[in-house]
Each structure stands twice: as structure tokens, then as C-alpha cells.
Amino acid sequence: MFVVSITYRTDLSQVELLLAEHLRFLDANYQAGHFLASGPKVPRTGGIILANIPSREALHTLLENDPFYRDGIAVYEITEFSVTKAAANLSELVVQSS
């Protein structure tokens, strides 16, 4: 499981230009089962994604398709963690490590 912390490198006017495309990117990855939760930071300096994907490499490859990443308007910090406790409905979605 991964927490992706996104930090904007530019002003919000540049972010807004790509927001609709970013939201489509998020929706596609929710549909694929890769993302479990996401949203903007408060204050709005970036966002957070909780990702359910087998490896850091696979996540990195996936994030390269995010327009915020692709166009260089944000930096991404990836933190991997081992899930040892989760809400019942979330634990069913956790990728089993081999």
C-alpha cells in the first residue's frame, strides 16, 4: 500500500488548467482498483492519493500518466507501508504481498 503526497510546484491557475484531465486520471485508476482514496490537501498545496498497487515501480509508471506529473506542475512523494490493520471494507482491497 502506498501514500502519494503531491505538492504543487506552480500557482493554482496552472493547476486548474489540468484539473479536469487529472480527475479523469483518478477516475480511471479507481475503476482499475488502483486508488482507494484521494483528495486535496488543506490548505490546497497539493493532494494525497492512497494507492493499492503491487509495487513502487508499477505505481511510478502509473503516476507518469497523471497530467500534473507529466506537465511538471507537481512533485510526488511516495511512502510505502505495510497494512496491519484496516477497516473491514478496506482490508478486502489490500494487495497481498508474496
Side-chain angles (χ1 to χ4, degrees):
M1 184 82 64
F2 298 88
V3 175
V4 180
S5 178
I6 301 166
T7 303
Y8 301 139
R9 299 174 61 185
T10 187
D11 60 82
L12 287 177
S13 64
Q14 292 297 109
V15 172
E16 291 295 330
L17 293 174
L18 293 173
L19 187 57
E21 188 178 354
H22 171 71
L23 293 174
R24 286 191 297 274
F25 165 80
L26 292 175
D27 289 343
N29 284 288
Y30 276 106
Q31 290 288 332
H34 300 308
F35 294 166
L36 303 177
S38 62
K41 293 178 181 177
V42 179
R44 193 171 167 207
T45 58
I48 299 290
I49 300 171
L50 182 58
N52 177 40
I53 196 160
S55 70
R56 181 180 294 270
E57 294 77 20
L59 178 59
H60 183 71
T61 298
L62 184 125
L63 291 173
E64 288 176 345
N65 294 306
D66 185 346
F68 290 171
Y69 184 97
R70 181 196 66 217
D71 289 10
I73 67 166
V75 293
Y76 291 63
E77 179 182 346
I78 299 170
T79 303
E80 184 173 4
F81 71 102
S82 297
V83 177
T84 58
K85 280 190 169 247
N89 61 335
L90 187 59
S91 63
E92 296 171 14
L93 302 173
V94 174
V95 173
Q96 299 297 315
S97 58
S98 47

